[in-house]
C-alpha cells in the first residue's frame, strides 16, 4: 500500500516535470514515504531522516518532505520539530493527491509546513502514477480499515474503509493490461471487505470475477484479506477461476483464543482452522501463507504453544513473523506498559516459530521437485546475473538458468522444478515461452 502511494506521488512529480534522480546527492527533492505499522519501520525512517541533515546543510536549496503513515502520528511531528528541523514539508496519507500544491507552499515558507488531515475525504480517482519497474502492477480497491485490531495503527493512520467504485477499477486494470501487465494485484488493508460501502453493495468475489474478463490479464492476486471476511463465495470464486491465483494469504496473528480475543481479531482458533479446511477442500493446490505476531502483551508460554500448534496443523508454505511492538494510540500499547513479554522471551519465541516454519516451508517446497510449473519471469537475479528470478502463480520464487541472448522478462515460461530451498526453488526451462514478448519490453537487446 505504501509503495503504491509512492507510485502515485511519483506520477504527480512526473507531471510537474521532475525526473528520477540517480541518488540522494543528485536530488532536488526527496520525499520519504514512511510506514508506521511496526516500530522497526519507524526506526528506519527516523534514522534515514537524521542522515539527510548533512545533505540539507550542504545544499540548503533542496526540498525534504516526510509523508505517509508516520506523519499521521502526533509523536512524529513533535520528533521532527525537535530533531529534524531540516525537513521542509510533512503530510499524511489523506492528502498526498495534493502534493504539487503542498510543494509550492513549502517553497514559499521559511518554516516546516505541516499539512496532516485527521480524516480522509472522498476517494480521488484518475491520479497519475509512475509504476515501479517490474512485471506486477498493484491497484488500490479499498482504502482504510474498520477492524481495529488492538495492536494495529492502521485504522488510525489510514482512516475508515472507503471502496472505489468497480467501473474505474476495471478501467484501470484494462489500461494496465493494454500496457502489457499480466500479473495484477488488487490492494486493500482489509481487501475482502471491499464493496460493502458501495451502493448497491458489492464484494471482492464480484470484482475479481469482472476483472477476470479483462483480456491480457493472466494472474489476478489480492492482498491482504482478513479471515473473518473470507466468505465461502470468495473461496468458490477462486476455485472456479482460471486467473485468480491459488495463493491464499490468511493472517492468523496468534493461535490462542484469549490472545485472539484481546487482539480483537473476531475469530477463534477453531473458526480459523475451519476456514483453512474449507479452503483446502475447495482449492487443494492452494499455497497458504500467514502473518504472525509473537509477544503480544500478556502472551504466556501456553498461548504461544497454541500459535505453534496452528502452524503445525495448517503447514503454511511461508509466514511473515513479527515481534509485537507497541503503536501510538492503540489499546495494546497501554497493556504493553503493564504486562509486557520480556524482550528476550519475545526473541526466543520468534526464533522457535521461525525454525518450525522454515522446516515446513522447506518440506512444502521439496514436494514440488520434479513437477512442471508455469512461471512469470520477473528479472535478472540480484545475486547472480546468469539466473532469471521467476514467480509461480502461488507466489513461489523459482530461479532458472539465463541465456543472456534472450530477454525473457515479463514472459510466461514452463519450467521443471529441480531443487528446493527454504525460500525459493530452482528449475530449468522446459519449453518455449507461452506468452508473446510484452509490449512494455520492446528494447534493443545488447549484442553478445
Ligand atoms: N506489532 C507487530 N506486528 C504488527 N503487525 C501489525 N501491527 C503490529 C504490531 N503492533 C503485523 C501484523 C500484520 C502485518 C502487516 O504486520 O502481523 O498482519
Ligand atoms: Fe490492522 Fe489488518 Fe487488523 Fe485492519 S485488519 S486493524 S489493517 S491488522
Amino acid at each position: 500500500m505504501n509503495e503504491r502511494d509512492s507510485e502515485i506521488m511519483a506520477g504527480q512529480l512526473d507531471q510537474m516535470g521532475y525526473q528520477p534522480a540517480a541518488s540522494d546527492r543528485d536530488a532536488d527533492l526527496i520525499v520519504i514515504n514512511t510506514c508506521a505499522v511496526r516500530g522497526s519501520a519507524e526506526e528506519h525512517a527516523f534514522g534515514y531522516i537524521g542522515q539527510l541533515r548533512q545533505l540539507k546543510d550542504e545544499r540548503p536549496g533542496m526540498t525534504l518532505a516526510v509523508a505517509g503513515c508516520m506523519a499521521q502520528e502526533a509523536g512524529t511531528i513533535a520528533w521532527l520539530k525537535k530533531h529534524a528541523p531540516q525537513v521542509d514539508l510533512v503530510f499524511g496519507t489523506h492528502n498526498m493527491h495534493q502534493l504539487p500544491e503542498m510543494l509550492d507552499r513549502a517553497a514559499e515558507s521559511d518554516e516546516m509546513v505541516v499539512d496532516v488531515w485527521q480524516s480522509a475525504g472522498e476517494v480521488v480517482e484518475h491520479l497519475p502514477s509512475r509504476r515501479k519497474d517490474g512485471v506486477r502492477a498493484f491497484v488500490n480497491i479499498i482504502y482504510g480499515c474498520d477492524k481495529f485490531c488492538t495492536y494495529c495503527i492502521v485504522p488510525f493512520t489510514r482512516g475508515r474503509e472507503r471502496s472505489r467504485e468497480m467501473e474505474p477499477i476495471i478501467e484501470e486494470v484494462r489500461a494496465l493490461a493494454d500496457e502489457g501487465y499480466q500479473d495484477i494485484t488488487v490492494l486493500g488493508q482489509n481487501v475482502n471487505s471491499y464493496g460493502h460501502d458501495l451502493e448497491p453493495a458489492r464484494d471482492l468475489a464480484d470484482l475479481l470475477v469482472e476483472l477476470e474478463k479483462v483480456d491480457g490479464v493472466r494472474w489476478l492476486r489480492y492482498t491482504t484479506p482478513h479471515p473473518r471476511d473470507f466468505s465461502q463465495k470468495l473461496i468458490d470464486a477462486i476455485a472456479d477461476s482460471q486467473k485468480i491465483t491459488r495463493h491464499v494469504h490468511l493472517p492468523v496473528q496468534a493461535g490462542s483464543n484469549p490472545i485472539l480475543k484481546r487482539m480483537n481479531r473476531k475469530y477463534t482458533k477453531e473458526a480459523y482452522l475451519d476456514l483453512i479446511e474449507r479452503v483446502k477442500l475447495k482449492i487443494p493446490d492452494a499455497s497458504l501463507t500467514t502473518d504472525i505476531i509473537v509477544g503480544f502483551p500478556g502472551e504466556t508460554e501456553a498461548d504461544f504453544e497454541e500459535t505453534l500448534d496452528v502452524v503445525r496443523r495448517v503447514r503454511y508454505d511461508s509466514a511473515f513473523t513479527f515481534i509485537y511492538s507497541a503503536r501510538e494510540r492503540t489499546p495494546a500499547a497501554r497493556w504493553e506498559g503493564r504486562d509486557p513479554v520480556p524482550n528476550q522471551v519475545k526473541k526466543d519465541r520468534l526464533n522457535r516459530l521461525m525454525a518450525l516454519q522454515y522446516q515446513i516451508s522447506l518440506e512444502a517446497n521439496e514436494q514440488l521437485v520434479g513437477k512442471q510449473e508455469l512461471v512469470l519471469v520477473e528479472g535478472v537475479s540480484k545475486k547472480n546475473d546468469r539466473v532469471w528470478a521467476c514467480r509461480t502463480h502461488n507466489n513461489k520464487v523459482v530461479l532458472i538458468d539465463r541465456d543472456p541472448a534472450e530477454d525473457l522478462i515479463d514472459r510466461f515460461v514452463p519450467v521443471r522444478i529441480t531443487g528446493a530451498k527454504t525460500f525459493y526453488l530452482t528449475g530449468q526451462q522446459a519449453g518455449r515461452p507461452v506468452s508473446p514478448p510484452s509490449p512494455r519490453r520492446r528494447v534493443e537487446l545488447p549484442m553478445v
Side-chain angles (χ1 to χ4, degrees):
M1 195 55 97
N2 168 281
E3 288 187 17
R4 178 72 196 116
D5 287 349
S6 295
E7 292 179 343
I8 290 169
M9 288 191 249
Q12 295 179 77
L13 296 174
D14 261 353
Q15 283 194 342
M16 293 176 76
Y18 281 93
Q19 286 170 354
S23 71
D24 293 354
R25 302 222 143 257
D26 302 314
D28 296 318
L29 166 68
I30 297 180
V31 183
I32 302 151
N33 188 16
T34 60
C35 171
V37 73
R38 290 179 296 276
S40 52
E42 287 203 347
E43 281 152 27
H44 267 108
F46 282 134
Y48 182 50
I49 294 166
Q51 273 175 34
L52 291 176
R53 181 169 201 152
Q54 197 190 347
L55 203 66
K56 179 80 180 178
D57 284 347
E58 288 165 18
R59 293 183 35 228
M62 71 166 312
T63 305
L64 216 53
V66 175
C69 282
M70 274 171 71
Q72 296 293 137
E73 296 176 87
T76 303
I77 311 285
W79 187 91
L80 289 172
K81 290 213 157 135
K82 189 157 173 219
H83 300 286
Q86 74 274 21
V87 171
D88 302 289
L89 171 65
V90 186
F91 59 99
T93 53
H94 300 313
N95 54 336
M96 59 163 202
H97 56 281
Q98 298 189 331
L99 179 57
E101 186 254 324
M102 288 188 287
L103 284 172
D104 282 348
R105 263 193 288 147
E108 282 160 20
S109 169
D110 293 333
E111 303 199 334
M112 187 189 289
V113 172
V114 178
D115 192 353
V116 178
W117 296 6
Q118 287 319 312
S119 61
E122 294 286 298
V123 170
V124 185
E125 290 294 347
H126 307 298
L127 288 171
S129 120
R130 165 192 274 270
R131 286 195 151 80
K132 241 169 82 172
D133 279 350
V135 305
R136 306 165 80 177
F138 294 89
V139 175
N140 289 320
I141 65 166
I142 176 167
Y143 304 94
C145 181
D146 291 348
K147 280 284 185 287
F148 286 94
C149 302
T150 54
Y151 52 81
C152 184
I153 200 168
V154 167
F156 301 98
T157 59
R158 294 277 178 175
R160 300 291 70 72
E161 288 174 2
R162 283 119 36 226
S163 300
R164 289 177 71 191
E165 293 288 343
M166 258 166 72
E167 205 40 54
I169 298 173
I170 297 168
E171 265 169 44
E172 184 172 344
V173 171
R174 254 192 225 123
L176 288 168
D178 288 346
E179 267 182 64
Y181 285 100
Q182 306 170 86
D183 188 348
I184 307 281
T185 306
V186 297
L187 290 180
Q189 264 91 23
N190 183 9
V191 75
N192 51 343
S193 101
Y194 173 76
H196 69 89
D197 53 335
L198 295 177
E199 194 54 57
R202 313 306 295 257
D203 61 33
L204 181 62
D206 297 333
L207 176 69
L208 290 175
V209 166
E210 285 307 311
L211 294 181
E212 219 185 322
K213 296 179 190 153
V214 177
D215 281 342
V217 171
R218 203 180 265 259
W219 284 347
L220 262 177
R221 308 175 189 275
Y222 52 93
T223 201
T224 299
H226 189 293
R228 163 78 177 235
D229 298 332
F230 212 89
S231 65
Q232 189 60 42
K233 179 177 170 189
L234 181 57
I235 298 176
D236 295 342
I238 301 168
D240 294 342
S241 169
Q242 298 297 311
K243 293 186 177 176
I244 309 171
T245 55
R246 293 162 121 70
H247 167 208
V248 180
H249 180 68
L250 278 172
V252 66
Q253 311 298 3
S256 131
N257 283 335
I259 295 285
L260 286 169
K261 182 138 187 68
R262 281 198 287 124
M263 285 180 161
N264 194 28
R265 288 295 287 175
K266 302 176 169 65
Y267 52 79
T268 58
K269 177 186 179 190
E270 294 71 28
Y272 179 88
L273 290 174
D274 176 67
L275 171 61
I276 293 282
E277 279 317 304
R278 285 185 287 121
V279 170
K280 283 183 174 171
L281 197 69
K282 264 290 187 146
I283 322 167
D285 53 342
S287 74
L288 295 168
T289 57
T290 199
D291 292 353
I292 299 174
I293 298 174
V294 300
F296 186 78
E299 183 190 65
T300 63
E301 174 62 21
D303 291 324
F304 175 64
E305 291 284 344
E306 293 283 300
T307 299
L308 295 178
D309 187 52
V310 171
V311 171
R312 279 192 205 99
R313 284 175 194 237
V314 179
R315 295 188 60 79
Y316 297 105
D317 288 84
S318 66
F320 295 106
T321 51
F322 309 107
I323 287 185
Y324 168 78
S325 59
R327 310 284 57 229
E328 193 177 291
R329 280 188 285 178
T330 59
R334 295 193 290 277
W335 308 333
E336 177 76 348
R338 290 202 300 268
D339 195 10
V341 175
N343 272 338
Q344 200 44 50
V345 177
K346 283 181 177 162
K347 281 188 196 150
D348 178 59
R349 287 185 188 157
L350 184 73
N351 287 337
R352 286 158 63 201
L353 175 63
M354 288 197 307
L356 172 64
Q357 181 54 50
Y358 289 176
Q359 180 60 33
I360 294 172
S361 296
L362 180 61
E363 286 166 14
N365 283 345
E366 280 167 350
Q367 298 284 314
L368 294 173
V369 174
K371 298 229 161 82
Q372 184 144 328
E373 292 276 345
L374 192 64
V375 297
L376 176 57
V377 181
E378 295 198 331
V380 179
S381 160
K382 282 196 193 102
K383 293 203 184 120
N384 180 351
D385 67 3
R386 285 166 313 174
V387 167
W388 289 121
C390 318
R391 201 176 289 269
T392 64
H393 72 96
N394 55 13
N395 220 30
K396 302 221 180 217
V397 172
V398 185
L399 303 179
I400 62 172
D401 286 342
R402 165 171 177 251
D403 172 1
E406 190 175 23
D407 181 7
L408 287 181
I409 295 180
D410 224 346
R411 299 186 75 181
F412 283 88
V413 177
V415 299
R416 201 168 47 76
I417 305 299
T418 51
K421 296 273 193 290
T422 308
F423 301 112
Y424 64 91
L425 300 156
T426 51
Q428 265 159 12
Q429 202 173 329
R432 297 295 307 151
V434 300
S435 60
S438 163
R440 294 186 307 119
R441 298 234 9 119
R442 283 203 194 106
V443 287
E444 290 285 312
L445 281 179
M447 298 296 287
V448 283

